[in-house]
Amino acid sequence: MKYSVHTTKAKATAENTRLMGLLGIPDGKGTTIYGTPEKRNSKWLLRVKEEGPWKADDIAENVQFIEEPDPE
């Protein structure tokens, strides 16, 4: 999966807000945000969509492909 990778939660949150603006995603009660930053291995990751109307892997900052861990 592709993620926008950041050093802090604040930077990941700011990227989420930026992508919402670029993609025209409304921000309000009952509205889903684009993504939720998650901390993994000392980095803050924001998963970006790779297809569909909210595709952003081509416009997000610092996009990296990160393999998902095997479910145990």
Side-chain angles (χ1 to χ4, degrees), residues 11 13 17 19-20 23 26 28 30 36-37 41 52-53 55 59 63-65 68:
K11 288 181 181 179
T13 301
T17 301
L19 291 173
M20 287 178 62
L23 297 170
T36 303
N41 298 328
K55 179 184 183 317
I59 60 172
V63 173
Q64 299 177 22
F65 179 81
E68 294 300 306

Side-chain angles (χ1 to χ4, degrees), residues 1-62:
M1 297 185 165
K2 290 184 180 178
Y3 291 87
S4 178
V5 181
H6 304 276
T7 56
T8 66
K9 183 177 182 180
K11 288 181 181 179
T13 301
E15 178 63 358
N16 182 64
T17 301
R18 186 183 79 86
L19 291 173
M20 287 178 62
L22 289 173
L23 297 170
I25 300 170
D27 186 14
K29 288 187 176 181
T31 303
T32 303
I33 61 171
Y34 182 78
T36 303
E38 62 180 273
K39 190 172 186 177
R40 195 184 308 171
N41 298 328
S42 301
K43 296 178 184 175
W44 283 94
L45 308 177
L46 179 66
R47 183 174 173 203
V48 292
K49 310 288 190 264
E50 299 177 53
E51 58 187 40
W54 290 356
K55 179 184 183 317
D57 62 331
D58 56 339
I59 60 172
E61 294 180 359
N62 197 26

